[in-house]
Amino acid sequence: MSVFPVSEEKNRWLREKMAELGINEDDLEEKFVRSSGKGGQHVNKTSTCVWLKHVPTGIEVKCMAERSQPLNRFLARRELAERIEALAGLPTRRELEADKVRKRKSRRRRRTADKYEKRLSPNDQDRDP
């Protein structure tokens, strides 16, 4: 497997995740095409967009998030691993992040409700306007 221009920890994580899901480099079909968007002449001259296909499952990923081809190769593999993980029914990174946000919002809602309940004294509740 290639070494990508990210930290060694992220490279190791990707290798482990691909091994855990049974994704082999031989099962991947990879093409490089020209990206679109910002970048001007640089984008028009270089093929930084990465198209990745996992042949056994038929899942295709296209990544053109960055101007660097090696970085897009890493991001495409990470996205492919997440999609295969979701297909297998395992919780993905995005789902875990969404759960964290949901829990945080409910905790804030409860705290706010508790704060306003405490402000009302028993005498205030008995009075009629």
Side-chain angles (χ1 to χ4, degrees):
M1 179 178 201
S2 303
V3 176
F4 301 105
V6 292
S7 67
E8 181 55 40
E9 180 182 336
K10 288 182 180 179
N11 275 308
R12 190 175 337 106
W13 175 85
L14 183 63
R15 279 194 302 270
E16 290 171 1
K17 182 59 78 175
M18 288 178 72
E20 175 185 318
L21 295 171
I23 304 170
N24 297 325
E25 283 290 324
D26 299 335
D27 295 340
L28 300 178
E29 196 177 303
E30 189 172 39
K31 293 181 187 176
F32 304 105
V33 293
R34 291 200 176 129
S35 297
S36 62
K38 295 180 183 178
Q41 186 178 12
H42 175 74
V43 169
N44 298 331
K45 290 170 69 175
T46 59
S47 299
T48 56
C49 179
V50 177
W51 177 83
L52 198 60
K53 180 179 182 180
H54 186 242
V55 178
T57 58
I59 296 176
E60 295 180 6
V61 174
K62 191 174 185 182
C63 183
M64 57 181 153
E66 300 292 329
R67 288 178 64 181
S68 163
Q69 187 186 73
L71 190 53
N72 282 334
R73 290 180 72 206
F74 170 80
L75 295 172
R77 281 168 173 73
R78 185 174 72 181
E79 178 68 26
L80 179 75
E82 285 182 8
R83 287 190 188 181
I84 291 175
E85 203 171 34
L87 188 66
L90 300 171
T92 62
R93 184 174 50 94
R94 288 182 183 160
E95 290 173 353
L96 295 174
E97 284 292 323
D99 285 344
K100 278 186 186 177
V101 170
R102 205 174 299 116
K103 286 178 183 177
R104 192 179 314 133
K105 284 184 177 181
S106 69
R107 191 174 8 194
R108 284 181 183 166
R109 210 174 295 123
R110 281 194 311 267
R111 284 181 184 168
T112 304
D114 290 346
K115 182 170 93 174
Y116 288 115
E117 283 179 15
K118 289 178 184 176
R119 281 188 178 177
L120 293 176
S121 67
N123 295 336
D124 292 340
Q125 293 174 354
D126 294 338
R127 286 189 211 156
D128 288 331

